């Protein structure tokens, strides 16, 4: 077992290499590096797809909508004030959660050896 095989949560949320825990996972905001600069792990397996965005939409949508409803019921501000308050808040929460969740999904892919689905043509016939 390598350094961080048992810690996908911490290495993923920090954006670190799952194998060594030292190298950075991202080259830009969401661009995954080709390989780890510390241990050389090839990140070609990393394909999180739309998974992180879906979780961000669900989490942030629940949090922001609940807050907007509480503010509306309690204070009844004009709609333009809702836009001024919650518009930037949506951006901050969504962008703040996207990178850590993408790192977590890639770390979990590595930990569980997840790959794209393939047909098993050499195995026994189905049935």
């Amino acid at each position: 077992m390598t350094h961080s095989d048992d810690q996908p949560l911490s290495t993923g949320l920090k954006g670190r290499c799952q194998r060594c825990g030292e190298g950075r996972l991202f080259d830009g905001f969401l661009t995954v590096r080709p390989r780890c600069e510390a241990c050389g792990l090839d990140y070609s397996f990393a394909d999180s797809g739309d998974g992180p965005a879906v979780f961000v939409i669900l989490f942030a949508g629940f949090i922001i909508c609940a807050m907007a409803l509480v503010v509306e019921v309690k204070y009844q501000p004009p709609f333009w004030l809702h836009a001024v308050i919650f518009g930037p808040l949506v951006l901050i929460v969504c962008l703040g959660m996207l990178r850590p969740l993408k790192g977590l999904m890639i770390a979990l892919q590595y930990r569980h050896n997840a790959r794209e689905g393939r047909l098993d043509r050499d195995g026994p016939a189905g049935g």
Side-chain angles (χ1 to χ4, degrees):
M1 185 183 277
T2 58
H3 172 267
S4 61
D5 275 349
D6 58 344
Q7 307 172 26
L9 185 65
S10 64
T11 56
L13 292 177
K14 291 177 186 174
R16 294 293 183 186
C17 174
Q18 177 60 27
R19 185 164 67 185
C20 68
E22 298 297 321
R24 293 179 297 167
L25 181 62
F26 297 105
D27 202 11
F29 182 65
L30 291 175
T31 306
V32 179
R33 292 177 171 270
R35 65 184 30 87
C36 175
E37 72 262 7
C39 69
L41 174 64
D42 184 17
Y43 292 139
S44 63
F45 70 90
D47 182 20
S48 62
D50 292 333
V54 170
F55 287 115
V56 166
I57 288 169
L58 292 173
F59 295 149
F62 177 76
I63 293 167
I64 302 297
C65 284
M67 290 172 60
L69 284 171
V70 167
V71 168
E72 176 61 31
V73 169
K74 192 165 184 163
Y75 302 108
Q76 298 176 347
F79 288 122
W80 66 266
L81 191 57
H82 275 290
V84 168
I85 294 170
F86 294 108
L89 191 59
V90 166
L91 288 174
I92 291 167
V93 170
C94 288
L95 292 177
M97 290 174 61
L98 194 55
R99 185 175 169 151
L101 284 179
K102 184 170 183 170
L104 176 61
M105 290 198 72
I106 291 171
L108 289 171
Q109 282 178 339
Y110 176 80
R111 172 76 162 107
H112 297 288
N113 199 21
R115 299 284 186 250
E116 182 178 335
R118 293 182 177 81
L119 295 175
D120 186 14
R121 300 212 187 266
D122 297 330

